[in-house]
Amino acid sequence: MSLWERSRTVAVLTALLVGGAAAPALADEVEQVRNGGFDGTTDPFWSTAGLPITLVDGQACVDVPGGTTNRWDVAIGQNDLPLVAGESYRFSFDAAGDAGHVVRAIVGLAVSPYDTYFEQSPVLGGLTHYSYTFTQSADTAQGQVGFQLGGSADPWHFCVDNVSLVGGVPPEVYVPDTGPRVRVNQVAYVPSGPKTATVVTTATTPLPWQLKNAAGAVVARGNSTPRGVDISSGENVQTIDFGRYSRPGTGYTVVADGETSRPFDIGTAAYDKLRADALKFYYTQRSGIAIDNALRPGYGRAAGHVDVAPNQGDGNVPCQAGVCDYTLDVRGGWYDAGDHGKYVVNGGITTWEILSEYERSHAVRKVSLAIPESGNRVPDILDEARWELNFLLSMQVPTGKPLAGMVHHKIHDQSWTGLPLLPDQDPQPRELHPVSTAATLNLAAVAAQAARVYRPYDPAFAKRALAAARTAYTAAKANPALLAPESDGVGGGAYNDSKVSDEFYWAAAELYLTTGEKSYANDVLASPEHTADVFGAGAFDWASTAAAGRLDLAAIPNKLPGLKAVKASVVTGAEKYLAVQKAQAYGVPYAPNNNSYDWGSNSIVLNNMVVLASAYQLTGKPVYRNAVLTGLDYVFGRNALNQSYVTGYGEVSSQNEHSRWYAHQLDPALPNPPAGTLAGGANSSIQDPYAQSKLTGCVGQFCYIDDIQSWSTNEEAINWNAALAWISAFVADVS
């Protein structure tokens, strides 16, 4: 789960575009900007050196030079504005510029660390009025309004007028657009699988429904089943079951209660495509390599963190002060989520799930990902996973150093960076953070797994991985309580974890499965996790890894004593999620305590489905396969918001996941996330200010917003996509 901004200290401010003219002033509204109309002078506005401001027809205009790199390289603005925490402000201005160019309009801190409180990046043309409201998060007497204009290869012309920052305005009320009240899987229902829709209605008695094909002809009909008020959404809903209809086709819709659903297919082609797209996500997450635009059109970019300015690079990274006396070459790996950090515990569970997909799905081994290594006689899925494995191995403390064999918890920027920021443009110093028992055991588990997986393709790499796994496991046993601190969250997420018995169990299980050695089997059998119920409301994530060990023990051939009970425990866990799913009107195999949806809830839903899929693989019982297919409906639009959470899949899908380089919402020159990217999903805690301004008081499924500023509900992350990749491979295999 991506929790990289749980401890964030740089406030990201909320914003809402208000169309049309500025709202009428209220009695308590207070203007903060001085001379925003540029009446005869540009004072007290400033501009960067060598950028004179001229007055043209009462507007402040500048000729922006070409050839700059960052937005903030060229700017005009006004400083020393007082801002009050909790106050609502309206930031408005009139702006014009050469067609297609972008201005980054900000309200921020005028002094170091130059926090950005609010930002928008409109695409310019003729003179246009822009108006936004936001809620301030911090008190300061040194606020700033600014217009950042750099980053263009070519020179261009910019003008601005009527700049205003008014305090005391009423906050906007956010109402999500949920579209038609009939909610379906907008991607595809498998012909031989269940097919269920949900209708939001005030009716309490069954409603007639129709299934129509693309030509509008009715091909099936029936009556819905009332389900009452659904706790996860607060809506009164009914269920529509059209599972008996199985003819493949496109453009189907369901009609009920005077509403027509969004269109969907009945077929399997979408899942064959998703199996590849969910894995292709990782190539554009790579650090330490240029992304080839020919392989990913629209996503080409320079290599990040390879010791080329302005990067300070990952080739010779020191520890935080007082932590160690050496540097490590930790180039490569995947950027964890929307920032430029790389975290061993999240990289560990991600790599495990991708290698698990390889071990459990033979078909995925032939899927082409169009990556630089394609065609080397190694399955592309393993080539991609190895990019991260090499990074994880590089994080191990070298022989001869204190705590040799232990693994550094993470490496990231010294301070938070803003959005958007391409990886190669990140100027921050990079730091290794202290070792942790959890990170060390992650390496032990995943490197042991890699040893058996890569042995047929690269015996030398397999041998190296196993040696590193053994060393890490021994080091962790000698240092069983080196925990990552909760406070270590400046510049990157803390990923703190106070319980590591699950990591010990997982690592011992993987080492046993690879070596068959009795010492590791004894550690598995002695672990309290071995007989515990490890399948909670969420089966597994970066902080809860016992289920990973249990699932592999059940699935990978081995001679562990009591193996029958291990397999039975997986089926019992699946039965738990099956019961949860049946009780949910939206068919979700997830019901968190107090209806409090977790950070990254979509990945939790999918990982619970991994347990259901595992039960199907162990038993062959269709009920578990069907439960996976039904659970997938939620991810693809049969939910309270009536949207798919996977970019590029479904008529309405998440597009603006929080990321510094998939930042089209802030900079039209940058792309949206690639097709097959999973958004985090509903998060009842709504930790980021943007979500708080829109979603305070939200119920369960409604605690989500598709905006790049909502890092707590709408981030993308490597571990979340691993869950999507695993399940998409399973569905493609069994459909």
Side-chain angles (χ1 to χ4, degrees):
M1 178 187 299
S2 175
L3 299 182
W4 65 271
E5 299 200 73
R6 182 184 293 278
S7 305
R8 185 174 183 158
T9 58
V10 177
V12 178
L13 261 284
T14 63
L16 175 67
L17 175 62
V18 180
L26 301 178
D28 57 351
E29 291 184 358
V30 179
E31 177 64 67
Q32 308 297 318
V33 173
R34 301 177 300 281
N35 190 32
F38 302 102
D39 296 329
T41 178
T42 62
D43 292 337
F45 281 81
W46 53 262
S47 62
T48 50
L51 186 76
I53 306 175
T54 59
L55 291 177
V56 179
D57 297 328
Q59 302 169 21
C61 298
V62 293
D63 289 313
V64 183
T68 57
T69 300
N70 304 300
R71 294 285 183 213
W72 51 85
D73 291 342
V74 181
I76 65 175
Q78 185 177 130
N79 293 345
D80 301 324
L81 307 182
L83 298 170
V84 178
E87 183 65 85
S88 294
Y89 291 86
R90 182 175 62 249
F91 178 35
S92 61
F93 53 91
D94 300 334
D98 293 351
H101 284 276
V102 176
V103 57
R104 182 176 184 240
I106 69 161
V107 178
L109 185 62
V111 296
S112 180
Y114 302 104
D115 296 351
T116 298
Y117 301 136
F118 159 78
E119 63 179 87
Q120 286 290 327
S121 297
V123 180
L124 300 173
L127 190 67
T128 302
H129 180 72
Y130 300 93
S131 182
Y132 312 89
T133 63
F134 69 94
T135 302
Q136 176 67 2
S137 67
D139 290 319
T140 182
Q142 296 178 297
Q144 172 193 97
V145 294
F147 300 93
Q148 298 180 354
L149 308 165
S152 172
D154 303 315
W156 61 288
H157 190 68
F158 171 76
C159 294
V160 68
D161 197 3
N162 298 319
V163 181
S164 173
L165 182 66
V166 175
V169 301
E172 294 293 323
V173 177
Y174 172 71
V175 179
D177 179 4
T178 56
R181 289 183 288 105
V182 181
R183 313 286 161 74
V184 296
N185 177 331
Q186 296 175 28
V187 176
Y189 293 93
V190 172
S192 62
K195 302 173 191 69
T196 311
T198 297
V199 56
V200 178
T201 178
T202 58
T204 56
T205 56
L207 296 167
W209 59 263
Q210 296 176 331
L211 174 66
K212 294 184 177 182
N213 63 19
V218 176
V219 295
R221 64 179 74 238
N223 292 310
S224 61
T225 301
R227 297 295 299 268
V229 175
D230 165 53
I231 188 174
S232 72
S233 64
E235 300 170 319
N236 188 75
V237 299
Q238 299 196 25
T239 298
I240 294 169
D241 184 348
F242 57 102
R244 291 184 179 181
Y245 189 84
S246 60
R247 180 173 294 179
T250 62
Y252 286 101
T253 55
V254 173
V255 179
D257 202 25
E259 297 274 313
T260 300
S261 74
R262 288 175 172 146
F264 57 88
D265 296 349
I266 295 178
T268 61
Y271 298 112
D272 290 334
K273 182 176 184 296
L274 180 63
R275 174 169 50 189
D277 282 348
L279 288 171
K280 286 182 176 182
F281 164 84
Y282 292 96
Y283 175 52
T284 53
Q285 289 289 124
R286 286 190 188 188
S287 176
I289 188 175
I291 304 305
D292 188 344
N293 198 66
L295 297 178
R296 292 289 184 278
Y299 292 90
R301 58 171 173 81
H305 300 95
V306 289
D307 309 315
V308 175
N311 282 167
Q312 299 196 32
D314 286 354
N316 196 38
V317 180
C319 287
Q320 289 179 304
V323 170
C324 73
D325 63 355
Y326 52 83
T327 63
L328 292 180
D329 181 349
V330 292
R331 288 173 292 183
W334 298 317
Y335 295 118
D336 181 72
D339 64 327
H340 299 137
K342 298 183 289 191
Y343 309 84
V344 170
V345 293
N346 208 42
I349 196 66
T350 301
T351 308
W352 168 80
E353 195 156 12
I354 290 174
L355 295 181
S356 170
E357 179 181 348
Y358 168 86
E359 291 193 284
R360 307 275 286 278
S361 170
H362 291 284
V364 79
R365 303 177 187 190
K366 298 180 181 179
V367 171
S368 173
L369 301 181
I371 54 179
E373 300 83 1
S374 294
N376 64 355
R377 298 186 179 182
V378 176
D380 281 3
I381 185 175
L382 295 188
D383 281 326
E384 189 57 66
R386 187 162 171 175
W387 193 262
E388 179 72 1
L389 280 164
N390 285 332
F391 159 72
L392 296 175
L393 290 166
S394 74
M395 292 286 280
Q396 195 164 28
V397 177
T399 301
K401 297 296 183 180
L403 297 173
M406 295 292 283
V407 177
H408 288 277
H409 198 71
K410 56 181 182 168
I411 175 261
H412 57 64
D413 291 338
Q414 190 176 82
S415 300
W416 287 111
T417 57
L419 288 79
L421 185 66
L422 286 164
D424 66 294
Q425 295 302 309
D426 176 13
Q428 284 286 334
R430 306 281 273 179
E431 295 179 329
L432 290 168
H433 289 246
V435 301
S436 73
T437 305
T440 305
L441 290 167
N442 265 261
L443 178 65
V446 177
Q449 181 190 28
R452 66 175 180 265
V453 168
Y454 287 86
R455 191 174 293 136
Y457 304 101
D458 190 339
F461 176 70
K463 183 178 180 180
R464 175 192 168 204
L466 183 56
R470 291 182 187 275
T471 299
Y473 189 70
T474 300
K477 293 185 79 171
N479 301 277
L482 293 179
L483 306 179
E486 185 175 359
S487 60
D488 192 13
V490 177
Y495 280 100
N496 55 296
D497 185 3
S498 62
K499 175 177 175 288
V500 294
S501 61
D502 51 332
E503 281 87 359
F504 271 110
Y505 176 66
W506 175 33
E510 299 298 347
L511 280 159
Y512 169 69
L513 289 170
T514 297
T515 68
E517 293 175 11
K518 186 176 181 180
S519 62
Y520 298 124
N522 289 341
D523 285 355
V524 168
L525 296 172
S527 171
E529 306 287 349
H530 189 57
T531 53
D533 178 4
V534 297
F535 301 110
F540 58 88
D541 60 24
W542 64 266
S544 301
T545 61
R550 186 77 62 84
L551 290 169
D552 274 0
L553 287 169
I556 307 303
N558 67 88
K559 298 180 180 180
L560 185 74
L563 190 58
K564 184 177 180 180
V566 171
K567 294 181 178 181
S569 72
V570 173
V571 176
T572 299
E575 282 292 323
K576 179 190 299 184
Y577 299 132
L578 189 63
V580 168
Q581 182 180 63
K582 289 180 177 178
Q584 299 293 303
Y586 278 98
V588 193
Y590 170 65
N593 291 334
N594 301 316
N595 197 38
S596 182
Y597 273 57
D598 293 288
W599 193 316
S601 61
N602 284 339
S603 72
I604 299 175
V605 170
L606 288 162
N607 283 334
N608 289 356
M609 288 158 58
V610 169
V611 180
L612 289 162
S614 298
Y616 174 73
Q617 292 173 335
L618 290 170
T619 69
K621 293 183 178 180
V623 65
Y624 302 121
R625 168 205 183 248
N626 291 344
V628 172
L629 296 174
T630 297
L632 204 59
D633 295 345
Y634 170 83
V635 176
F636 286 129
R638 186 188 162 208
N639 53 55
L641 290 171
N642 196 15
Q643 71 145 84
S644 167
Y645 287 111
V646 180
T647 302
Y649 282 80
E651 184 176 76
V652 176
S653 67
S654 297
Q655 298 290 320
N656 300 306
E657 286 95 327
H658 178 87
S659 167
R660 280 159 176 72
W661 59 99
Y662 308 133
H664 184 76
Q665 187 179 5
L666 298 179
D667 183 348
L670 296 174
N672 286 121
T677 300
L678 179 72
N683 173 8
S684 297
S685 296
I686 53 172
Q687 288 91 338
D688 66 88
Y690 188 83
Q692 290 166 2
S693 75
K694 299 291 198 331
L695 305 177
T696 296
C698 60
V699 175
Q701 292 189 41
F702 283 105
C703 298
Y704 169 84
I705 188 166
D706 182 26
D707 192 284
I708 196 170
Q709 296 179 89
S710 182
W711 38 264
S712 68
T713 78
N714 199 38
E715 195 170 12
E716 46 84 9
I718 56 174
N719 58 320
W720 299 345
N721 246 70
L724 179 66
W726 199 106
I727 287 297
S728 65
F730 172 81
V731 172
D733 286 349
V734 302
S735 60

